[in-house]
Amino acid sequence: MAATDLENQTQAQSGKSPNTAEASPSKKNDETPADQKAQALMALSTGKRHMLCQDIPAAVESLGEACELMSVEFGEKAPECAEAYFYYGKALLEMARLESGVLGNALDGVPEEGDDANDSQVEDPEKVTEEERTEVEGKVGEAMEENYDECENAKILSKKDSKVTTNGDTNGVHDKDGESEKSEEDEEMEGGESQEEEGAAGEADADGLKEAEAEKSETDSVEGEKKEGEDAAAQEVEDEDDPSNLQLAWEMLELAKMVFTEQLEGEKKGSITPEVKTTIEKKLCETFLTLGEVSLENENYVQAVEDLSLCLDRQKASLPSDSRSIAETHYQLGVALGFHMKFEEAVVSLEAAIAVLDSRITNLKGKTESPDETKKDNIFHTREKEIAEIESLIPEIKEKITDTNEMKDESVRKVAEMKEQIGFGSSSSSGTGSSSSSSTVKPISAKPISSISIKRKAESDPTEVAVKKAAISTSKTGSDPVGSAIEKAKKSST
């Protein structure tokens, strides 16, 4: 009985019921495919709700679980998984933005390198008032007078001492004989020689000690560099094993793009209805747009321009001309082109966004606008509110155009200064070639046209960008890109 009671007590402390068998694993194994599908759909809907409530960490956890369950239930390339992949990638992008924002807030108030910081401990003389200046001059004068009096007194005392010493030498009581003076001189010479020998020996010992210290410091520096190299290599391996949220977001969105494209252009494209095709086309455009935003966050502007251009072409072919989605893509493309130093093309794209919004306002006033799918479930939506919202966005886009033109002028000026320093002389640039010129001017951060905003972060390491490009290219051309991204999604969700 005592052994049985002890076993029951141990099971109770471990969280197990003493009167039941191992029920939890068998219950999990007894789940039917219908139960697993329902659990996956529940996780997906929960993740969407967290996204709407801006609870991004909870959304990442729920959507990661949904991706794992759906890939197990339907297969990694199944059409049912595409939506979960898309929302999980979008949540990871928002999580990366949150992390970037936290880092930016932590560095608020810290002067950047090259900033003029007032770190001097001496007060600026230009900021001293007249009263303070007069007071300081008076104190300095008094100090100089006291110092002068002390110096004069010291001179008088030194003269008196010299006179006393001279009299003592001429009026001595006893005269030294020649032999004693000679012996004293010999002793002084011998003492000087011995001191010189001791000094030489001390210098030799000091030189030897310095050489030993130098060898020790050199050995320590070599060992320190070796240790730093090992730490850097270990950090690189850890970074490869633990990809960033931006890299995971890219990979999940690439998976979603692959599945959506297969549905629209694959072997089964004839079996889908026009309504389903329209929905899938819309999701694919959103995927391209989000991929462009990920590239902007990674500062991979070439890839961002490519993805946003593909998104714009598809939107123009499938959406009405006054769709606000087209205006948003024009704006994001203009931002990407500006960061890519193609200023003329950026201005054209931003002006196109304004033209689409103006067309939307005209149609709203004439009650001939195209339906906005994002507003159909909003019971508080009215035409007047949408007109006011669009009219508030247009000045921001115009301000962005002004900023882009200023960036262009600054780039031209920097190039001219560089040519002058190199020795080519001053060159007047017409602005046509400024879009392709390289400059060190940092682009001004964009202002959002919708709820999705673009935030700049600190410049990332070029090697990190190269690693992320390599990971994406592997996901595009590798033998099993879906499995690798799903495995990373599983690790992130745990």
Side-chain angles (χ1 to χ4, degrees), residues 310-486:
L310 290 172
C311 176
L312 185 61
D313 293 339
R314 286 184 171 273
Q315 285 178 337
K316 287 181 177 179
S318 60
L319 296 177
S321 60
D322 65 341
S323 173
R324 292 181 64 177
S325 298
I326 296 177
E328 180 181 359
T329 306
H330 271 301
Y331 177 81
Q332 299 287 5
L333 181 58
V335 171
L337 288 168
F339 288 159
H340 195 37
M341 301 300 175
K342 296 185 177 181
F343 302 112
E344 288 84 1
E345 298 178 25
V347 171
V348 170
S349 185
L350 293 170
E351 289 175 348
I354 294 177
V356 173
L357 293 178
D358 287 335
S359 174
R360 180 75 179 177
I361 291 175
T362 302
N363 293 340
L364 283 169
K365 291 179 178 179
K367 299 182 180 181
T368 59
E369 78 282 0
S370 60
D372 189 353
E373 296 295 330
T374 61
K375 305 289 186 181
K376 66 178 183 179
D377 296 331
N378 187 358
I379 60 175
F380 300 103
H381 173 259
T382 60
R383 289 187 175 91
E384 290 75 15
K385 287 184 178 180
E386 185 174 355
I387 290 173
E389 181 181 354
I390 295 174
E391 288 177 346
S392 66
L393 293 174
I394 292 177
E396 296 182 1
I397 304 176
K398 291 181 178 179
E399 182 180 353
K400 180 60 183 174
I401 293 174
T402 304
D403 294 341
T404 303
N405 289 325
E406 291 177 357
M407 289 162 53
K408 170 185 169 183
D409 296 338
E410 184 70 12
S411 176
V412 173
R413 186 181 64 81
K414 290 288 184 181
V415 171
E417 290 179 355
M418 291 175 63
K419 287 182 178 180
E420 288 180 0
Q421 292 175 359
I422 294 173
F424 289 103
S426 60
S427 60
S428 59
S429 177
S430 60
T432 56
S434 62
S435 60
S436 59
S437 62
S438 61
S439 175
T440 58
V441 182
K442 293 184 179 179
I444 302 173
S445 58
K447 295 189 176 181
I449 191 174
S450 64
S451 59
I452 299 176
S453 61
I454 298 297
K455 297 180 181 177
R456 289 303 312 279
K457 62 180 184 177
E459 291 189 3
S460 49
D461 192 355
T463 57
E464 182 183 355
V465 177
V467 169
K468 295 177 181 179
K469 291 181 181 177
I472 298 311
S473 62
T474 303
S475 66
K476 292 181 179 178
T477 60
S479 58
D480 188 14
V482 179
S484 61
I486 289 294

Side-chain angles (χ1 to χ4, degrees), residues 32-231:
T32 62
D35 294 335
Q36 294 180 0
K37 180 179 178 181
Q39 186 178 357
L41 293 175
M42 179 61 68
L44 178 60
S45 61
T46 303
K48 289 181 180 180
R49 183 170 65 252
H50 289 316
M51 287 284 289
L52 290 174
C53 297
Q54 296 298 313
D55 190 356
I56 305 302
V60 169
E61 183 178 357
S62 298
L63 292 169
E65 181 184 0
C67 289
E68 181 180 358
L69 294 172
M70 286 189 171
S71 62
V72 172
E73 178 64 24
F74 302 105
E76 294 174 346
K77 297 182 182 180
E80 292 83 358
C81 298
E83 187 177 12
Y85 293 159
F86 169 73
Y87 282 105
Y88 185 43
K90 198 168 184 179
L92 288 169
L93 171 60
E94 295 300 326
M95 176 65 78
R97 285 173 170 168
L98 282 178
E99 292 173 351
S100 177
V102 169
L103 179 61
N105 293 333
L107 295 178
D108 281 347
V110 179
E112 296 182 0
E113 185 178 356
D115 290 348
D116 295 333
N118 186 14
D119 55 355
S120 175
Q121 297 181 357
V122 181
E123 187 176 2
D124 188 0
E126 299 297 332
K127 298 180 180 179
V128 179
T129 62
E130 289 297 330
E131 295 179 358
E132 293 176 347
R133 190 187 302 274
T134 304
E135 183 180 358
V136 170
E137 289 177 354
K139 290 181 179 180
V140 170
E142 292 176 359
M144 291 179 67
E145 290 178 358
E146 291 177 0
N147 189 24
Y148 178 78
D149 294 339
E150 291 177 359
C151 292
E152 290 295 326
N153 294 332
K155 287 181 180 180
I156 294 171
L157 291 175
S158 63
K159 288 180 180 180
K160 290 181 179 180
D161 293 339
S162 63
K163 289 180 179 180
V164 172
T165 304
T166 304
N167 294 331
D169 292 338
T170 55
N171 300 322
V173 180
H174 299 286
D175 293 333
K176 303 289 182 178
D177 56 298
E179 293 179 358
S180 63
E181 291 178 358
K182 185 176 181 181
S183 63
E184 288 179 359
E185 291 177 357
D186 293 339
E187 290 177 357
E188 289 177 357
M189 292 176 64
E190 291 177 358
E193 291 178 356
S194 62
Q195 288 179 357
E196 290 178 357
E197 291 177 356
E198 291 177 358
E203 290 178 358
D205 294 339
D207 293 338
L209 182 61
K210 288 181 180 179
E211 291 178 358
E213 291 179 353
E215 291 178 358
K216 183 179 179 181
S217 62
E218 185 177 356
T219 304
D220 294 340
S221 64
V222 172
E223 292 178 355
E225 291 176 358
K226 183 177 179 181
K227 186 175 180 181
E228 289 177 0
E230 293 176 355
D231 294 341

